[in-house]
C-alpha cells in the first residue's frame, strides 16, 4: 500500500509505530500506511490506511473497520483514510465509508490501481521487497547498539507525529550523532545501517522543512526570521511563556544582586540569562525554508524525490533508471539545486558525512568516482 501511494504522488511510510509517540500501550500498535502530500501553498495533507486480508469466519467486518479507522484518523490528525479488505466491500459500504472520509476498497481494486500506478517501478527507493528485507536487517543491526536503536525507533514512528520545528531540531541532532558515528572503517552491516538511518533522516527532514515553510507564505521576511528563532529556541514550554518566566527570574536575580551590592555592569549581564537561545543554524534554516516557499511547486516534490534518490544512491548504491529519473524529475536542474542547498545546510550544522555529502552534491553513489552526475541505467556499482 505504501508503495502504491508513493507512485500515486504521496510521501509514504508503512508500519509507523504509535506506542512510542503516545507512550501508552495501544491495541493499535502501528499504522499500516501514513502518507503525506502538500497543497500549492504547502499546507500538509495527511492520509492513513489499513489493510485486512483475512477471509475466514472471524475476519473483521468492513463497517466495524471503517468506524475504527475513522477514530484512528481523528487520533493522528489525518485528513482522510483508506481501508482495503479481501471481502465484504459492497457499494453500500463504500457509500458509508465516504460519509466518514474513509475510502473502502477490495483487494481487487487495490491490485488494479497497483498495476496502473506502479508497474515496472516496483522495488525502488524505500518501498518494495528489497526495502522491506533491508529494513529488517537494519533493525537487527541497530538493536546491538543503543544509540542506533534509539535512532531507528525514532525514525520509524515518533518523528512523523511531531510538529515541524521540533522534528527538524531532533532530526538535525540525530544526523549530528550519525555523522560522528560514521567512519569508512565500519563493518559492512553497521555501515549499511548508518547509510539507511541517514537516508531516512534526510528524507523526513525534507518533509518537515516543506511543512514548516508553509507558514512563511503569509508573513514578511523579518517576521519569518523572528518566528524561526523563537520556534527553534523553545522546548516543551512555548517561547511566550518562557519570556514571562525569564522576566520573573530577572527581577528576582536583579534584587538579589542589588542587595549584595554587585556592580551594575554585572547585574546588566545577568539579564535574560534564563531565556533560551536558538541554535546557531537558525538563520540558515530560515533562509532555506524561505527559498522552499518561494518555489513551492519544486518544494512539494522534494521529499518524494529525495526519498527515492537517497535510498537508491546512498543505501542501495545503484544507478537510477532513466524512466524513473523522468517520472520523478530527478534529472531536472531544480532538484539538483534544492539538493545542494539542503546539503550545504546540513554541512553548516555538522550534520553530514563524506558519503552523504557526495551523494547530495554530485549525485554519485559512494565509491563511484567515474561521474559527477546521476547516471541512467546500467548495473549497480560495486
Amino acid at each position: 500500500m505504501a508503495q502504491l501511494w508513493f507512485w500515486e504522488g504521496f510521501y509514504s511510510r508503512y508500519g509507523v509505530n504509535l506506542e512510542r509517540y503516545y507512550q501508552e500501550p495501544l491495541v493499535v500498535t502501528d499504522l499500516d500506511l501514513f502518507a503525506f502530500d502538500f497543497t500549492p501553498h504547502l499546507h500538509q495533507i495527511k492520509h492513513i490506511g489499513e489493510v485486512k486480508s483475512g477471509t475466514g469466519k472471524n475476519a473483521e467486518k468492513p463497517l466495524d473497520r471503517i468506524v475504527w479507522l475513522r477514530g484512528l484518523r481523528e487520533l493522528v490528525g489525518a485528513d482522510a483514510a483508506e481501508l482495503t479488505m479481501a471481502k465484504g466491500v459492497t457499494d453500500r459500504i463504500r457509500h458509508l465509508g465516504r460519509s466518514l472520509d474513509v475510502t473502502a476498497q477490495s483487494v481487487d481494486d487495490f491490485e488494479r490501481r497497483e498495476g496502473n500506478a506502479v508497474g515496472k517501478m516496483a522495488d525502488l527507493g524505500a518501498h518494495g521487497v528489497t526495502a522491506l528485507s533491508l529494513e529488517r536487517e537494519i533493525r537487527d543491526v541497530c538493536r546491538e547498539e543503543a544509540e542506533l536503536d534509539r535512532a531507528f525507533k525514532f525514525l520509524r514512528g515518533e518523528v512523523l507525529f511531531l510538529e515541524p520545528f521540533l522534528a527538524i531540531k531532533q532530526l538535525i541532532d540525530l544526523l549530528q550523532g550519525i555523522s560522528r558515528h560514521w567512519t569508512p572503517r565500519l563493518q559492512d552491516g553497521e555501515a549499511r545501517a548508518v547509510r539507511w538511518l541517514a537516508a531516512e533522516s534526510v528524507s523526513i527532514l525534507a518533509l518537515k522543512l516543506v511543512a514548516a515553510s508553509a507558514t512563511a507564505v503569509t508573513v514578511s521576511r523579518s517576521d519569518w526570521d523572528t518566528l524561526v528563532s523563537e520556534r527553534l529556541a523553545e522546548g516543551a514550554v512555548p517561547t511566550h511563556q518562557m519570556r514571562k518566566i525569564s522576566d520573573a527570574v530577572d527581577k528576582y536575580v536583579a534584587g538579589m544582586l542589588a542587595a549584595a551590592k554587585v556592580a551594575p555592569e554585572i547585574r546588566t549581564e545577568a539579564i535574560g540569562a534564563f531565556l533560551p537561545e536558538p541554535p546557531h543554524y537558525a538563520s540558515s534554516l530560515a533562509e532555506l525554508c524561505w527559498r522552499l516557499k518561494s518555489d513551492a511547486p519544486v518544494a512539494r516534490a522534494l521529499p518524494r524525490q529525495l526519498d527515492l534518490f537517497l535510498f537508491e544512491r546512498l543505501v542501495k548504491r545503484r544507478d537510477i533508471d532513466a524512466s524513473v529519473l523522468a517520472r520523478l524529475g530527478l534529472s531536472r536542474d531544480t532538484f539538483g539545486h534544492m539538493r545542494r542547498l539542503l546539503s550545504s545546510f546540513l554541512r553548516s550544522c555538522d550534520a553530514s558525512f563524506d558519503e552523504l555529502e557526495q551523494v547530495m552534491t554530485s549525485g554519485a553513489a559512494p565509491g563511484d568516482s567515474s561521474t559527477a552526475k546521476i547516471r541512467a541505467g546500467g548495473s549497480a556499482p560495486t
Side-chain angles (χ1 to χ4, degrees):
M1 175 178 275
Q3 178 176 249
L4 170 62
W5 278 64
F6 177 87
W7 290 110
E8 288 183 337
F10 288 78
Y11 180 98
S12 59
R13 285 295 181 266
Y14 59 85
V16 177
N17 188 283
L18 285 166
E19 289 186 316
R20 282 186 59 83
Y21 175 68
Y22 290 103
Q23 297 183 1
E24 292 287 345
L26 299 170
V27 174
V28 187
T29 57
D30 54 33
L31 299 174
D32 284 357
L33 168 76
F34 207 7
F36 305 85
D37 195 10
F38 295 95
T39 70
H41 293 125
L42 302 184
H43 173 72
Q44 191 175 68
I45 302 169
K46 302 176 186 178
H47 290 252
I48 61 172
E50 178 76 7
V51 180
K52 293 296 177 184
S53 58
T55 58
K57 292 182 179 179
N58 296 325
E60 293 88 344
K61 301 298 186 289
L63 184 55
D64 290 340
R65 302 311 295 180
I66 285 174
V67 173
W68 173 86
L69 199 52
R70 170 56 190 249
L72 189 57
R73 181 179 76 79
E74 296 287 344
L75 175 67
V76 301
D79 299 279
E82 180 174 279
L83 173 66
T84 303
M85 298 199 70
K87 67 174 188 177
V89 183
T90 63
D91 289 341
R92 178 171 172 76
I93 288 295
R94 295 179 201 271
H95 177 73
L96 288 170
R98 283 193 292 270
S99 70
L100 297 174
D101 293 321
V102 178
T103 301
Q105 67 175 355
S106 67
V107 171
D108 290 339
D109 296 327
F110 171 80
E111 290 176 347
R112 184 167 51 252
R113 286 170 59 192
E114 188 177 37
N116 292 334
V118 181
K120 296 180 180 180
M121 305 294 182
D123 209 23
L124 291 173
H127 303 292
V129 176
T130 300
L132 180 61
S133 175
L134 179 61
E135 182 185 323
R136 289 172 176 170
E137 174 192 335
I138 301 305
R139 180 187 59 197
D140 291 340
V141 171
C142 289
R143 282 174 175 168
E144 297 176 1
E145 187 167 337
E147 183 180 1
L148 297 183
D149 189 46
R150 286 193 299 271
F152 180 87
K153 290 176 179 176
F154 176 71
L155 293 170
R156 294 300 295 133
E158 182 181 351
V159 66
L160 293 173
F161 300 102
L162 298 179
E163 65 86 21
F165 285 100
L166 180 57
I168 289 168
K169 287 172 61 177
Q170 295 195 17
L171 283 166
I172 291 173
D173 287 345
L174 189 152
L175 281 164
Q176 289 170 341
I178 291 174
S179 299
R180 289 191 297 269
H181 195 90
W182 173 258
T183 169
R185 295 187 299 275
L186 286 174
Q187 296 296 320
D188 288 347
E190 195 171 9
R192 281 194 297 272
V194 172
R195 292 190 189 102
W196 188 96
L197 292 170
E200 187 79 357
S201 299
V202 174
S203 75
I204 297 175
L205 177 62
L207 181 77
K208 295 298 183 177
L209 286 169
V210 176
S213 301
T215 308
V217 173
T218 56
V219 300
S220 68
R221 179 56 197 268
S222 60
D223 288 344
W224 170 245
D225 290 346
T226 301
L227 185 148
V228 170
S229 292
E230 290 181 348
R231 295 302 306 275
L232 291 179
E234 68 186 20
V237 181
T239 299
H240 69 278
Q241 293 182 8
M242 286 301 301
R243 282 204 187 96
K244 292 180 180 179
I245 296 171
S246 179
D247 290 344
V249 172
D250 285 345
K251 291 178 181 178
Y252 178 75
V253 172
M256 290 183 61
L257 294 177
K261 298 181 180 181
V262 174
E265 59 271 18
I266 297 179
R267 297 204 300 268
T268 301
E269 290 177 0
I271 295 174
F274 197 73
L275 191 63
E277 294 290 330
H280 68 88
Y281 55 79
S283 61
S284 299
L285 178 63
E287 174 66 23
L288 177 59
C289 290
W290 191 261
R291 294 195 184 193
L292 287 171
K293 78 90 187 176
S294 298
D295 201 349
V298 173
R300 291 175 66 190
L302 184 62
R304 288 181 68 240
Q305 290 174 323
L306 273 175
D307 189 32
L308 185 136
F309 175 79
L310 286 173
F311 271 89
E312 288 298 302
R313 301 300 280 164
L314 179 64
V315 181
K316 299 177 182 178
R317 308 175 80 186
R318 64 188 187 185
D319 295 324
I320 303 175
D321 188 83
S323 60
V324 181
L325 294 176
R327 183 163 174 175
L328 288 182
L330 299 182
S331 55
R332 294 175 187 162
D333 291 341
T334 51
F335 173 60
H337 177 63
M338 285 294 184
R339 202 178 69 226
R340 289 187 290 273
L341 281 177
L342 181 52
S343 177
S344 178
F345 170 70
L346 292 174
R347 188 168 58 250
S348 71
C349 300
D350 296 322
S352 186
F353 54 93
D354 290 345
E355 289 202 359
L356 174 60
E357 188 169 339
Q358 178 185 344
V359 170
M360 290 286 285
T361 55
S362 70
D368 179 10
S369 60
S370 62
T371 181
K373 60 182 181 180
I374 307 171
R375 295 175 298 171
S379 58
T382 57

